[in-house]
Amino acid sequence: MSGAELPGATSATSGTGATSGTGATGATGPLPRDEWLFTPTGEARGYVQPHALSELWFHTGTACNLACPFCLEGSKPGDRRLGRVSFADVQPFIDEATQLGVRQFSFTGGEPFIVRDLLRILDYALARAPCLVLTNGVDAVPARLTKLAALRARPHPLALRVSIDYPDPVRHDSGRGAGNFLEAWRTLALLHGAGFRVSIARQMEPGEDAPAIEGAYRALMQEHGLPEDLNVVAFPDFGAPGARRAVPQVTESCMRRYQTEATRREFMCAYSKMVVKQNGRMRVYACTLVDDDPAYDQGGTLAESLGRRVMLRHHRCFSCFKYGASCSETRGH
């Protein structure tokens, strides 16, 4: 189903996102109420009503050991759009989330493994819930494998998702650097051999032959001594931070016609939050895809953020609506 086929979905340039609640602010200041709750043509904007906090994400900072041109976070060496977190930064949120019954902690970046306190953070979090770390799998991960393996003794399991954009070394390395493809596969094999659950993140393209691509990944898994049933999570092109993309507006009508109560509960913003370090302060955002827009800032504690309706105004919200895109490997039930 293409965006143009959506009844009530008008193509418009998506700017600042918004959350429900008086006083939502965008990148250029307060959002007028009509832009917040209604599309430019006056239709009621689609939204997701959170029902749980099953998963809490931490953004470890936009600094990275790579500078991939397609990175949805705009990450690169030394980047400071979002600050690197410390143990002291995240401990209060781990404690608060535990009290609220969270079922998983997940970590993204940037590259989480270049953060000095990451292993200490994981050690603390794994005493309370399972954890997932997203990584490019090169440089920092093999170097820390021995210390990482010690976390296998913690009460809950650690899983790692390694980015392998395409099942083609030339295409993968064109964005990430020569030799990255093979190193990422070696890291996957090392992590699996150390007893960790591993998965793969890949790039999704319009009109792709998904079964053929999945088959190519399965063949590579076999080649590298990995189980052929590893989860492969596909992501569309989300654009760079602050990008303004012309996408169809997601209206309440869209959400009723093309989503059910059950599928609405599976949107990430229905059951997860993300904590980021922004200008030296820890802030809670509605989900992992909207940290480039202050309108999705839901407060300084998890308690402040709970139950706040999420308006599907950010251009990346349409990717969730159309493709079922999700950074999560858990479900919100």
Side-chain angles (χ1 to χ4, degrees), residues 63-92:
C64 188
N65 55 320
L66 302 179
C68 307
F70 49 79
C71 181
L72 70 91
E73 293 290 0
S75 299
K76 58 185 178 297
D79 193 87
R80 295 183 179 180
R81 184 178 70 83
L82 296 177
R84 296 192 196 195
V85 297
S86 67
F87 178 79
D89 290 328
V90 305
Q91 182 184 11

Side-chain angles (χ1 to χ4, degrees), residues 8-68:
T10 55
S11 183
T13 299
S14 175
T16 329
T19 54
S20 165
T22 305
T25 58
T28 57
L31 290 172
R33 187 174 178 82
D34 57 348
E35 291 186 23
W36 172 23
L37 297 176
F38 299 94
T39 71
T41 56
E43 295 168 276
R45 193 178 295 284
Y47 64 86
V48 169
Q49 183 63 49
H51 62 86
L53 181 64
S54 298
E55 184 175 23
L56 181 61
W57 285 80
F58 290 97
H59 199 300
T60 61
T62 47
C64 188
N65 55 320
L66 302 179
C68 307

Side-chain angles (χ1 to χ4, degrees), residues 52-328:
L53 181 64
S54 298
E55 184 175 23
L56 181 61
W57 285 80
F58 290 97
H59 199 300
T60 61
T62 47
C64 188
N65 55 320
L66 302 179
C68 307
F70 49 79
C71 181
L72 70 91
E73 293 290 0
S75 299
K76 58 185 178 297
D79 193 87
R80 295 183 179 180
R81 184 178 70 83
L82 296 177
R84 296 192 196 195
V85 297
S86 67
F87 178 79
D89 290 328
V90 305
Q91 182 184 11
F93 292 94
I94 292 175
D95 291 343
E96 186 183 11
T98 301
Q99 294 172 0
L100 293 169
V102 74
R103 293 195 288 123
Q104 178 164 303
F105 296 110
S106 297
F107 300 82
T108 186
E111 172 50 54
F113 281 98
I114 68 172
V115 172
R116 181 179 302 173
D117 283 356
L118 181 67
L119 293 181
R120 184 183 177 193
I121 290 168
L122 290 174
D123 182 74
Y124 189 80
L126 288 166
R128 291 152 179 81
C131 293
L132 169 69
V133 182
L134 278 53
T135 175
N136 56 47
V138 300
D139 301 334
V141 182
R144 303 178 81 170
L145 187 60
T146 300
K147 291 183 178 179
L148 192 60
L151 296 177
R152 292 276 294 132
R154 303 305 288 148
H156 295 281
L158 172 64
L160 300 105
R161 183 194 300 161
V162 177
S163 296
I164 302 179
D165 302 316
Y166 305 100
D168 174 356
V170 175
R171 291 194 70 189
H172 177 90
D173 286 357
S174 67
R176 293 183 180 265
N180 189 296
F181 183 83
L182 285 178
E183 187 172 353
W185 279 105
R186 291 191 191 106
T187 297
L188 264 176
L190 286 171
L191 291 169
H192 178 262
F196 295 108
R197 181 173 66 83
V198 294
S199 58
I200 294 170
R202 75 169 181 88
Q203 300 276 353
M204 177 194 299
E205 297 182 297
E208 68 178 19
D209 184 346
I213 294 170
E214 293 280 332
Y217 276 99
R218 304 299 168 201
L220 284 162
M221 292 172 197
Q222 183 179 40
E223 180 182 330
H224 290 276
L226 290 158
E228 294 179 45
D229 61 350
L230 295 185
N231 191 26
V232 179
V233 184
F235 293 103
D237 178 10
F238 288 119
R244 292 173 175 262
R245 287 192 161 182
V247 298
Q249 300 286 330
V250 181
T251 66
E252 278 196 40
S253 174
C254 294
M255 293 296 283
R256 288 195 303 269
R257 293 190 184 195
Y258 296 105
Q259 302 287 339
T260 65
E261 181 179 355
T263 61
R264 288 193 293 271
R265 290 171 67 87
E266 297 301 333
F267 276 66
M268 278 191 66
C269 53
Y271 62 87
S272 70
K273 305 287 183 187
M274 185 166 78
V275 181
V276 309
K277 189 171 186 177
Q278 195 173 65
N279 300 319
R281 300 186 307 154
M282 300 298 288
R283 307 298 296 172
V284 181
Y285 270 68
C287 92
T288 60
L289 297 174
V290 295
D291 61 65
D292 62 341
D293 191 333
Y296 286 90
D297 181 332
Q298 296 188 327
T301 67
L302 295 173
E304 290 177 68
S305 71
L306 294 180
R308 294 187 62 179
R309 181 174 291 182
V310 181
M311 308 307 295
L312 303 182
R313 190 179 189 279
H314 197 287
H315 72 88
R316 290 175 179 169
C317 297
F318 180 70
S319 295
C320 295
F321 176 86
K322 181 176 181 180
Y323 300 107
S326 175
C327 302
S328 180

